[in-house]
Amino acid sequence: MKHKLKIINYKRNKDIKKIKKALLEDGVVILRNFYDINILEKLIFEWNKYFKKPAVNGVFGYSRTAHYRLSLNPFILGEPAIKILLDLRLIRIIEKCMDGDCVLAEADAKKDKATNYNYFPLHSDFSIGWSKSEDIKKGLSKKDLNSVLGIGGILYLHNTTQGAFSYSLGSHKLKSSYGQKLNAYPNSIKDEIKNNVEVCSGIKGDLVLF
């Protein structure tokens, strides 16, 4: 039987140790009922307003980085976005999981349109030699990859199955041993990665941490 993605109902279980254990084992976890529904509805209201029109001639709106992807700075969405992004409970969870202080490295509000092809294939975020910028001369080392380098999050603003985030459970333990691209891996490891891919389907308000 294939191992299943863990979904933790935060209202019933606020144990950070359980969240950390799921991330250590699988590399991904879904937190359900984490945010107050009123904050979510306020965010969705602002989201719908700003994603109606493109940002043209100084007018607030979305940018199009590809024909399938609309995006904007989430802080434009105001108070509900700030409360969600800078939620102290979330920061506490991430810092416990990283065993140290954290900073918000990047944040995007995105709306991806459906396509008939996979435009964002399976990949690893980090590898030996990786750096955030070309200006950084020293990239990540093997020692760096043995620690938690970062934790990402995705918040679903509607029930999501098609186009949901996908993750190969446990693949973080490989430490990007053959780089970031799946095709660089031996067939045996490649097959294992593919077989452990879980589509992280969720409902409105679900928070995916990975």
Side-chain angles (χ1 to χ4, degrees), residues 27-41:
V28 63
V29 66
I30 290 180
L31 299 187
R32 183 158 290 171
N33 295 318
F34 185 78
Y35 290 112
D36 181 83
I37 188 64
N38 294 320
I39 293 293
L40 279 172
E41 292 299 341

Side-chain angles (χ1 to χ4, degrees), residues 161-193:
T161 299
Q162 284 190 319
F165 179 70
S166 295
Y167 194 95
S168 177
L169 301 184
S171 60
H172 63 297
K173 297 174 185 175
L174 295 172
K175 309 294 183 186
S176 299
S177 46
Y178 292 89
Q180 293 175 272
K181 295 181 180 178
L182 184 62
N183 288 337
Y185 286 70
N187 288 334
S188 58
I189 299 179
K190 195 187 302 182
D191 290 341
E192 182 182 353
I193 292 171

